[in-house]
Amino acid sequence: MSAQTVAPQPVVEPRAQSGNLVLEARRIHKVFGGLVAVNNLSFSVFEGEILSIIGPNGAGKTTVFNLLTGVLPLDGGEIWFRGRKLNGLPPHAIARLGMARTFQTVHIFENMTVLENVMIGRHPRSRYGFVEAAFQLPWARKEEQAIRQHAMACLELVGIADLAGELAGNLPFGQQRLVELARALATEPTCLLLDEPASGLSHQEVVELDALIRRLRDEQGITVLLIEHDMNLVMGIADRIVVINYGEKIAEGAPEEIQQNERVIAAYLGEDV
């Protein structure tokens, strides 16, 4: 598909900030060499919603996540999270503010236990360092116990607490994804970014993932930003969808609107969706 196949819509400025605005990208821009990966992209995420970003491979979706979470620096534009500008902040500082993510390719420590993997997720919120841990100071031991209890609660939430003592590298792929999700939850996020969480999962695992994401939103009050290629999952779970191609937004709306958008159908979803 050539770059001219889908004409981008005029850029629509994001809504003005309001009490329930969680995350706002304002004309964010990223260039790699001569390639424009994200081109003046704007969108907003509101508290308690599930927003999905879709588009073909190479559309710039993961680059958007990397910009939002500070993994990559912006070449232009602004990112605001709960009224605070994130430009220039490192990933651990953004995590401490309440934004966590998972990755398209599972990132776990295979030679550590499941529980240890999740405990690492508490690092942005822990107060003790190497010296305190080495000397086993009483308050450091107390905090480590609290971290362990919180990590177990996160494993309970995703349904794999019984695997806490297992080596993470010995788990099947679907359970490794849950370990990574539990680790993200250990940071106590108010906004959770999921990068293709259904990739490589069986049909039953996708069904269970759907239910888990809904619980995180409905019971834990976590706002979710989702990148996903599984259109059945996206259309069933998303409140709104942003469609991008070549780093530009070409459509935005409710799932039923996206399903009826001729340019989206032709470019991404297929005629039978």
Side-chain angles (χ1 to χ4, degrees), residues 81-82 94-100 121-122 124-126 146-147 150 154 181-192 220 222:
F81 181 62
R82 296 193 176 277
I94 293 174
R96 190 178 295 120
L97 291 174
M99 190 190 306
R122 291 297 293 172
R125 298 193 182 277
S126 64
I147 290 172
H150 183 79
C154 293
L181 177 54
R183 187 174 60 203
L185 293 173
T187 69
E188 295 186 38
T190 58
C191 184
L192 181 62
Q220 303 298 316
I222 298 174

Side-chain angles (χ1 to χ4, degrees), residues 4-26:
Q4 287 74 37
T5 302
V6 180
Q9 295 178 340
V11 173
V12 177
E13 292 298 327
R15 303 182 202 179
Q17 290 194 23
S18 61
N20 64 344
L21 181 61
V22 173
L23 177 62
E24 186 177 19
R26 301 179 181 177

Side-chain angles (χ1 to χ4, degrees), residues 51-63:
L51 176 71
S52 183
I53 299 177
I54 67 172
N57 289 328
K61 304 182 299 296
T62 295
T63 300

